[in-house]
Amino acid sequence: MIIVINMSKKPLTARKNCDCRATRRGARREAVLDVLTSGPGHLSAEEIYRAARKRVPKIGIATVYRALRCLCSCGKAAEFIPADGVARYEPAGSRAHHDHLICTSCGSFLEAVDPEIERLQGRLAARHGFRISSHKLEIYGLCAGCAGTGAARGALRRRARIVE
Amino acid sequence: MIIVINMSKKPLTARKNCDCRATRRGARREAVLDVLTSGPGHLSAEEIYRAARKRVPKIGIATVYRALRCLCSCGKAAEFIPADGVARYEPAGSRAHHDHLICTSCGSFLEAVDPEIERLQGRLAARHGFRISSHKLEIYGLCAGCAGTGAARGALRRRARIVE
DNA sequence: GACATATTGATAACGATTATCATTATCACA
DNA sequence: TGTGATAATGATAATCGTTATCAATATGTC
Ligand SMILES: [Mn+2]
Ligand SMILES: [Mn+2]
Ligand SMILES: [Zn+2]
Ligand SMILES: [Zn+2]
């Protein structure tokens, strides 16, 4: 795949009209995309940098940030910023939208979607004449494992990545 | 009111068992609380600093941050971090929970709550054995004014701060 | 007033991210 | 296959919001 950096200074939110154009190909940005799609997801730039160096040892962190900007810009990756203020990245485009349940104990990210919540957000916005372009729902608390209840362990056993 | 700094390094989320104890009183932290409760809300630390200096000209930004930490720690203020990563503060305690509709055009914050969405979040979490401690719902898009439709202006006219 | 100590503000430090810029890698084409 | 244009890279400086440090000051108690 050919990946080209979008050098604009705009935020990293995915855009429809990405100005990425195929020009030259290199191993570094491929490595970043690789880490993103094959890794556990929800990685920080620093974590992606460390993983990418195992494939391309001479890669610099600046290139990782540039690649992430490009990937977000053309919708192949998504950036989100949890409460600690450190941006995290996950593959996008081929994946459905989802929200995050973030464990404040072990730091794990659980992905989930409730179509009813999604729908009601539209209704809430409409009530205020607000035109939604995106939304961010993050639920903080204890994951099943850290809560440690029987019901919790049951839910953990299911181990669903995206569950309605 | 007496306000005492909580010097802990924990995050600024409001806690039930705040270790704030009344010991000494000063004008600076009062000024910060004043700005917080009398201002337009959703101010950044820098904005609060500028406003506080009109009341206490010699106040330093460090004191503003310290006061905000204290106020959040004992539940008199709430901190939240939108997509731009810059923390913003609003009075809390006497105010009900609400979510934010954030206009990406004019930067305004509209407050809203949908009890049904709140309820469904609990259901979603329960489905994963997740024990919620807090959540953050931010909806990004165009406010009524910036969207510029007729219906939008109607909604704007209502000018509700918190609407179900 | 004298003391203990809580609070303050100037400023250094910090961490994540971005900008700079000289060097290197890639492509189009002769 | 060589060559020139230029896209991409990485080391590093800069930036920005926030926190830590620390000497000076303010406050409460006796
Ligand atoms: Mn995710
Ligand atoms: Mn608010
Ligand atoms: Zn956990
Ligand atoms: Zn607006």
Side-chain angles (χ1 to χ4, degrees):
Chain A
M1 188 197 304
I2 299 173
I3 309 169
V4 179
I5 295 289
N6 166 21
M7 302 294 264
S8 82
K9 298 174 187 177
K10 289 168 191 163
L12 292 177
T13 48
R15 291 178 302 171
K16 283 287 159 46
N17 300 318
C18 172
D19 59 355
C20 288
R21 299 172 315 282
T23 55
R24 296 178 186 185
R25 60 197 72 199
R28 342 251 145 174
R29 282 169 289 173
E30 305 271 359
V32 170
L33 182 60
D34 237 40
V35 168
L36 214 53
T37 53
S38 66
H42 312 117
L43 297 173
S44 67
E46 180 68 28
E47 291 164 345
I48 293 169
Y49 171 56
R50 284 203 295 270
R53 266 204 299 192
K54 291 178 183 163
R55 304 166 196 232
V56 187
K58 306 184 85 65
I59 193 172
I61 186 122
T63 297
V64 171
Y65 275 105
R66 279 185 285 238
L68 287 171
R69 167 169 303 182
C70 167
L71 292 167
C72 288
S73 174
C74 55
K76 295 185 185 69
E79 178 201 57
F80 71 100
I81 304 178
D84 65 2
V86 180
R88 295 186 168 271
Y89 302 88
E90 58 188 346
S94 61
R95 310 190 60 214
H97 162 77
H98 58 267
D99 299 310
H100 291 122
L101 308 178
I102 304 174
C103 180
T104 53
S105 170
C106 70
S108 67
F109 292 75
L110 187 63
E111 305 185 330
V113 174
D114 186 327
E116 191 63 10
I117 291 179
E118 303 285 319
R119 200 179 61 76
L120 291 176
Q121 286 180 41
R123 197 187 66 175
L124 175 63
R127 228 180 275 138
H128 295 80
F130 193 94
R131 186 174 301 166
I132 294 183
S133 63
S134 69
H135 75 265
K136 181 166 71 170
L137 172 59
E138 283 157 17
I139 296 177
Y140 295 89
L142 295 178
C143 75
C146 292
T149 69
R153 277 191 291 275
L156 191 66
R157 212 169 296 125
R158 277 179 238 127
R159 197 181 292 273
R161 296 271 303 169
I162 301 187
V163 192
E164 178 194 325
Chain B
M1 189 194 306
I2 299 174
I3 310 168
V4 178
I5 295 291
N6 165 23
M7 300 295 263
S8 83
K9 298 174 185 176
K10 290 169 188 160
L12 290 178
T13 48
R15 291 179 302 172
K16 284 285 157 50
N17 300 319
C18 172
D19 60 354
C20 290
R21 300 172 315 281
T23 55
R24 296 182 184 182
R25 59 198 70 198
R28 343 258 142 166
R29 282 169 289 173
E30 305 271 359
V32 170
L33 181 60
D34 235 40
V35 168
L36 214 52
T37 53
S38 66
H42 312 116
L43 298 173
S44 68
E46 180 68 28
E47 289 165 345
I48 293 168
Y49 171 56
R50 284 203 296 271
R53 267 204 298 192
K54 291 177 184 164
R55 305 167 197 229
V56 186
K58 306 184 85 67
I59 194 172
I61 187 128
T63 296
V64 171
Y65 275 105
R66 280 186 285 237
L68 287 171
R69 167 168 304 178
C70 168
L71 292 168
C72 288
S73 173
C74 56
K76 295 186 186 67
E79 178 201 60
F80 71 100
I81 304 178
D84 65 2
V86 180
R88 293 186 170 269
Y89 302 88
E90 58 188 346
S94 62
R95 310 189 60 212
H97 162 79
H98 58 268
D99 300 309
H100 291 122
L101 309 177
I102 304 173
C103 180
T104 53
S105 171
C106 69
S108 68
F109 291 75
L110 188 62
E111 305 184 332
V113 174
D114 186 327
E116 191 64 9
I117 291 179
E118 302 286 319
R119 198 179 63 76
L120 290 176
Q121 287 180 39
R123 196 186 67 177
L124 175 64
R127 227 180 274 140
H128 295 80
F130 194 94
R131 187 173 301 165
I132 294 184
S133 63
S134 68
H135 74 265
K136 180 165 72 171
L137 171 59
E138 282 157 17
I139 296 177
Y140 295 88
L142 295 179
C143 75
C146 292
T149 68
R153 276 190 290 275
L156 192 67
R157 212 170 297 125
R158 278 180 238 126
R159 196 180 294 270
R161 295 272 303 171
I162 301 187
V163 192
E164 176 190 333

